[in-house]
Amino acid sequence: MFELVDLEEVRDEMISEIQSDIDQGKLYISERLNGSGAEIYPELLLDAAKEGDIESFTSALGMNFFNSTYLRKKPRGGFSSVKMPHNANATLCEGEFNRFYIRAVCQKAISQDQQFITVYRARSSSNPRIESIRLENQQFQALPLLQDLQESIGVDSALGLPPGPNSGMSIKL
């Protein structure tokens, strides 16, 4: 379970960040979603930001909204069709909800003249990645991180936050 410590304090900023991406036509819609999933995704994300969390978002965006297979790049070139992972919804929901949460925390920090935010482990891990361990308790400047995440839609951010899918890392004020 993800523990986003400042979630209640930053919901308005989170909604604003999501709505901004929707209005600009740059909200990340995973290619793994089927037509129905792609259509309902923005609404479910907004609903979760308004009054839910990662778990409620994951529950609402069930595996029935995903394609049964996806194309995976082969090491030596080309692609192969593989079965959709059973936790594709959890991976997508966790990653995208957390990205908007991080953007919202940065917005809140900036509005409160707080220059830095702190990285913490939001979900426990029995086998944490070295990159995640290195990030724990580090401080980042809120404005460059916000700008990085606003520009890095659907891809890893330049600053490395969050540090990839299923990392369990987030930020706090």
Side-chain angles (χ1 to χ4, degrees):
M1 186 167 138
F2 241 77
E3 182 184 351
L4 300 174
V5 297
D6 295 313
L7 181 58
E8 295 308 319
E9 192 175 342
V10 300
R11 283 192 189 274
D12 289 342
E13 289 83 0
M14 196 170 171
I15 293 163
S16 176
E17 286 292 311
I18 295 167
Q19 194 61 58
S20 174
D21 277 14
I22 291 170
D23 293 346
Q24 294 177 49
K26 64 178 194 178
L27 181 69
Y28 173 68
I29 305 292
S30 172
E31 293 177 359
R32 294 183 177 193
L33 292 168
N34 62 27
S36 298
E39 188 175 317
I40 199 165
Y41 176 81
E43 179 184 336
L44 295 179
L45 177 58
L46 274 171
D47 288 348
K50 288 175 185 172
E51 54 194 31
D53 55 22
I54 289 172
E55 287 76 24
S56 66
F57 184 30
T58 301
S59 179
L61 190 70
M63 287 303 297
N64 56 313
F65 290 114
F66 284 76
N67 296 312
S68 57
T69 61
Y70 72 101
L71 294 177
R72 180 169 46 197
K73 197 172 190 173
K74 292 180 179 180
R76 295 193 174 130
F79 294 89
S80 62
S81 180
V82 295
K83 185 179 178 195
M84 187 66 62
H86 72 281
N87 64 340
N89 63 332
T91 301
L92 175 64
C93 292
E94 179 182 298
E96 289 304 297
F97 192 93
N98 190 33
R99 285 172 72 88
F100 281 106
Y101 167 79
I102 292 172
R103 286 170 58 172
V105 170
C106 289
Q107 285 283 17
K108 180 65 89 173
I110 293 164
S111 74
Q112 295 175 346
D113 294 322
Q114 180 180 332
Q115 188 175 359
F116 293 94
I117 50 78
T118 304
V119 179
Y120 76 104
R121 180 164 295 288
R123 181 178 36 85
S124 64
S125 174
S126 58
N127 191 17
R129 297 181 196 144
I130 291 173
E131 312 85 62
S132 298
I133 293 169
R134 286 189 190 128
L135 283 173
E136 210 162 346
N137 297 315
Q138 281 195 31
Q139 292 195 322
F140 282 76
Q141 288 185 310
L143 183 58
L145 178 57
L146 173 63
Q147 292 169 334
D148 184 23
L149 288 172
Q150 288 172 331
E151 294 167 8
S152 304
I153 306 298
V155 297
D156 290 338
S157 65
L159 295 176
L161 272 175
N166 301 311
S167 74
M169 303 304 288
S170 196
I171 66 167
K172 60 184 176 181
L173 293 168

